[in-house]
Amino acid sequence: MNAPAPRTFRARLRAWLRPPRTLRVTRTGRTYLVVTFGVGLGALNTGNNLLYLLLGMLLSMVVVSGVLSERCIGDLSVRRVGADAAFAGEPFAFRWAVSRKKGHGFALTLSEADVPLTGEGRVGHLPPGTEAIVRADLGASRRGPMRLTGVRVTTTWPLGLFAKTRVLPVEGLLLVYPQRSFACREPVTSELGPAGESGNPRRNDGTGDVTGLRELAPAEDARRVHWLKSASQGKLLKVEREREERRTYQLSIESGLSGDGLERRCEEVAAQAHRLLADGHEVGLDTPSTSLRPATGTAQERRILQALAWLGFEDTRASEAA
Amino acid sequence: MERIAAQLGRAVQGKPTQVQDVVTCLVAGGHLLLEDVPGVGKTTLAEALARACALSFARIQFTADLLPADILGAQVFHAPTATFTFRPGPLFRQLVLADELNRAPPRTQSALLEAMAQGQVSMDGNTLPLPAPFTVVATQNPVDFSGTYPLPDSQLDRFLMRLSLGPPAPDVEARLLSTRGAHAPLDAVEAVSGPEEVSALRAHAAGLRLDDAVAEYVVRLAVATREHGDIERGASTRAVLALGAAARARATWEARDFVTPGDVRALLVPCWAHRVLLRSAVQGVSARDEAAHLLEEIARKVPAPR
Amino acid sequence: MSARPLRLRLVLRDVGAGAAFASMAVSGQLPLWTLGLFGLALALALLGKRVFARRAKLTAVLLLGVAAVLALQVMSGAMNMVVAACAFAGLIAAHRMLSQPDATADGQTNLAGLLMVAGGAALSGDMVYGACLIGFGVLSSLALALGVVEGAVPEGEPVPVRGVLRPLSSGLAFAVAGAVAFFVLFPRLNWTVVGPRSAPGLGAATAGFSDTVRLGGAGTIKGNPRVVLRATLTPDPGLDALGAYWVGRTYDTFDGQEWTSVGAPQKSGESIILRPGSETLVHQRVELLPAYGGRTLVALEMPARLGNALVHTSLGTRRTVVQRLGGGEVRFVESGISYTYEAYSLPPNAEEGSTGKLSRAEHDQLLALPEGLDARVAPLAAKVLDGEREPLAAARKLAAWLQREYGYTLELSGEVADPVADFLFTRKAGHCEHFATALTLLLRTQGISARLATGFFGGERVDGAYLVRAGDAHAWTHVLVPGRGFVTVDATPPAHRPTQSSAFVQRLLALYEALESRWRNSVVDYSFRDQVDAARALVRPPRGSEERTPSRLPPLRAWVTAALVAAVVYRAWRALSRWKRRARPMEATRFVDAVEARLAQGGPPRRQGEALEEFSARLAREGHPLTPALTPLTRRYLEARFGDRPLVTGEAARLLESLNRALEADAARRRAP
């Protein structure tokens, strides 16, 4: 990263205010503490030694709980393994790999810290020396690049009385694609009509190159029978040929859009691109900042989605590149 | 072996390590999967190999309408004698180039792969042996997957090695430009060996000494892949055997009669990268690069015998 | 959370709740029907039959009914408020155990368990309570922890029970240790604390003392090994078996079947003086345990003063008054679970001087005979005495005769019309009451004043105090000797005076009693005074310890030194064995180590993790000047290590030498330009 800048007083204060561990009392823990308090009062009032013994047990359980959870959550290392394509507004699979050198970890809950990502992953038991892959369905509410700063690890081990949280700093970047929705508008008309040589792999009922042989199903056109192969196999085989129909579309996002309008337009373009690419057409994209040449295939769809996701966050990208 | 490699080097220039691996694969008696973008000389390499070793050669271009009978051969009706006779397909050669293997439908693929595994062809109740030495060099294009039938993982296991040639170095490419017009590269390849010699080499390699420490090293590498967090399915026992065989073949290069850990390390990625199944295909990173990367990491972690 | 909760966790939870309930139940104060209900619920829960799972709300109405019953009992005064609350907590736990095992039910079961344990602390002070407390803590913690892990394990995966148990059990061990440390160190605000005394428990209390002693009936009391009384004596006689008479009361009137006394109840007060004391009184601090079951104060013969009495009830401990009744009996006015008091007795064989305050009527009764006394009794006495008139000598003579001529038995024939005649002339065997009654009546026929005394005989030393068991109950005779007062004469054969229970049971009970008294002294009655004492002992070790009898064991220093030496020896042995077991590096490996060390000093840089083989190959590819020296060396190493052609003697040195030369030449070449 950058050279360490002199830490300002504010940064130091923030670091001090946000210690590496945070502790939250669960509902069970609240009841437990109330009972402990009651037992303590009873012990002091009556001088009943057995109540003192019980109080000692309750209090030392609190201490042991703290020690065990600290041992559980300390000495952890986390890295992000990867994510499926993340679309805004729908859950996507996300994975972390957690490991520790020695000592067992129990009941760990992982989530991304300080970013608007919902969802968490759980791991019940983390033996020492092995790396566990924790899978979670995360949800992002909006499109765009998301800078990930750290992974929040929480445990309620051992007794579920306190939830101890630790944020492990792991830098990362998650690109959230625009929401998958239905495009209301028809795409602009195609720029290029059918082009002879290029086959459309999605339609196998054309007149172009052979894509495969299938057995002839009932109610299918007998003219498609490949007689040579049928004779050698002793059964009717149908030849499938590519349909040589492919159009080229150039989708564009007008400059000057912002806020909700931009989001809506991004979603729409993404949906149009998906549909057109699924139909086997060539699709290109023009945005105020970038432009993509028309192409086909899933790779092109990913390129378009990436371009759409970065739209409006170009300055982040610039700093990323630097 | 050096002679063969030198002849191959004439055809495919600037790729000494890959050429070495190809010959290693031939000597180890395994089949080879070449995976690369079109136009880097996969086909040339295979043909040159056939010429240099004077092996009978056939090239099968796999297409969507290719049926098993097209490669294995078929019973044909012989009118004068009114009997059926078997006309062997192109597979009955010592070196078979299966070009664009993933374009063929799974049925055809498995016919080829079965023949590769068994070394014989079963048809209509007859079992016909394939010529020895029998080697298949298959190629596939990793980029353009549209309209293809990717090989299942279990069948990838049948290939001893998977190699990719990669684009030649700029100076080699420049020299290629200047000389290509003069003569076809394959014409420069001379037959320097024969099928008998290849078989003898194979027998020799199979008898080389594999020290216990090295064998244990191979097993530990396999265990490491099985226990690695990012690998869904680690190296199988067949993978362990394959690595051992390949390492033996590689030892013959330096006229050694024993296998060193260095042989194992050098062949780890070609032999195993296509056999491990990754847990998560990380987006944007191709799975093959990731597998190679992980295997190198494992090789660094597992201590080699000293 | 996985669909099916872990069975082990539920079992742990339920057994934990059971332990919590047991901690209350050992006090013996819970009504029996709650015990039954809880036991039934626990058994059902352990069998996995959660019968209330369907209708949790509806069955909760049952709890309301139970609460109403308990409230009625409290209002009618039949039950203590604390006991009722504890019983209700137990029943709530029982209901939750039988409900659908979800997170709420788990939490409520554990909470009810916690309340039950707290209630148990208020109800009982038994040592079993401590065991139950620890049991509850451990089991419930395990159940909680398993629940936490179970909640985090993705569905379908096994819960790592073994993995959980190990770190958690060490944690729990620390928790128990921490509880003990807290208990010891936390300052008590109360100066003296007397903890709760447990109720008699599940067995019935012994009969104690009644107003009458009736001959006949069954005599099983002799076999009862339960401890009824614990006393600390000052001055301490230091005997292992005290063998003393602990008197409870005396009787002077016999009607042929049973003994009664004529005395009327007298005044009550903090302290009762029975007879004038002398200079050397034996002080006793007596504790009447719950198994005693009576209210009569007991003291060593002859008691002079009784008082300073405390009564322990389930609500606490308070000072109480005692009342003097007829027959020299002193009784607690209030009833409680157990009692503590102090008594002063004349030392044995002391001259009493006077008979104490004996009324005229009481004095006359000492010679009274039952109306229908068998006519053969008086001649028999006269015949045995053979003219002996001195009371004490006569009594001893008769006692010796009885001991000699009559057998001891606990088997009784049941109700007979004249038990004395039956004993003297028919059966010629009986128990202590028969012997004592016969002796008393025989003496009275000869005009010697005597009365029957009941109490205990014995005293077993445990932890510096003396224990008396229910089986030690005994009866004997007081003979009035003019000028000396009453003197004890025991007609029962000496072997049959103390308890008759089996030796094994007695030893077991002695062990339990020792533990229990430790527990009582160091836990239940732990006080600020003890803390101060302990602190003082830490700061300044007691002086007296050095002058004690020299122990045969070596001093602590020696133990510590021995332990240290043992640890060092063990460590050394471990290290040695590991060193011996390590893989012996082969010659080739040592050689390559040397080569690599040499290369690290002055060779070209090597990459991270690059083996010599790859390093050499890389240098060869790069055309490094060191190649001609390094390549054969590497080759030789590989052959030796993996090719089964070991290095010959001196070859390693030669190869290293060549490498050195090459390295020096290389260095010189680099320095030249």
Side-chain angles (χ1 to χ4, degrees), chain C residues 504-519:
Chain C
F504 175 71
V505 173
Q506 218 167 330
R507 205 168 313 143
L508 217 66
L509 250 110
L511 191 71
Y512 175 78
E513 290 299 334
L515 281 175
E516 171 81 31
S517 96
R518 282 271 163 82
W519 161 264

Side-chain angles (χ1 to χ4, degrees), chain C residues 227 229-234 242 246 283-288 298 300 341 460-468:
Chain C
V227 175
L229 178 152
R230 182 187 291 118
T232 321
L233 306 191
T234 337
L242 191 60
W246 304 79
H283 170 250
Q284 304 141 59
R285 196 178 158 74
V286 183
E287 197 178 345
L288 289 176
V298 175
L300 280 176
Y341 57 92
E460 185 183 329
R461 191 182 178 88
V462 170
D463 260 4
Y466 286 95
L467 300 185
V468 174

Side-chain angles (χ1 to χ4, degrees), chain B residues 197-223:
Chain B
E197 201 180 357
V198 171
S199 297
L201 266 176
R202 281 187 182 182
H204 170 68
L208 291 188
R209 175 188 163 82
L210 184 72
D211 194 80
D212 287 348
V214 183
E216 193 195 323
Y217 179 53
V218 175
V219 172
R220 264 186 300 161
L221 286 170
V223 171

Side-chain angles (χ1 to χ4, degrees), chain C residues 130-196:
Chain C
C132 288
L133 172 63
I134 291 175
F136 167 73
V138 169
L139 294 172
S140 300
S141 305
L142 286 175
L144 273 175
L146 278 178
V148 166
V149 174
E150 194 184 340
V153 167
E155 193 162 338
E157 283 182 29
V159 178
V161 175
R162 272 161 198 276
V164 170
L165 288 188
R166 241 195 32 184
L168 194 68
S169 10
S170 59
L172 284 174
F174 273 106
V176 171
V180 171
F182 174 87
F183 177 82
V184 172
L185 297 178
F186 189 81
R188 300 297 195 275
L189 301 179
N190 320 47
W191 185 256
T192 47
V193 174
V194 176

Side-chain angles (χ1 to χ4, degrees), chain A residues 187-205:
Chain A
V188 289
T189 50
S190 61
E191 286 179 1
L192 291 170
E197 269 307 296
S198 44
N200 183 337
R202 308 286 162 176
R203 301 274 172 86
N204 286 330
D205 54 351

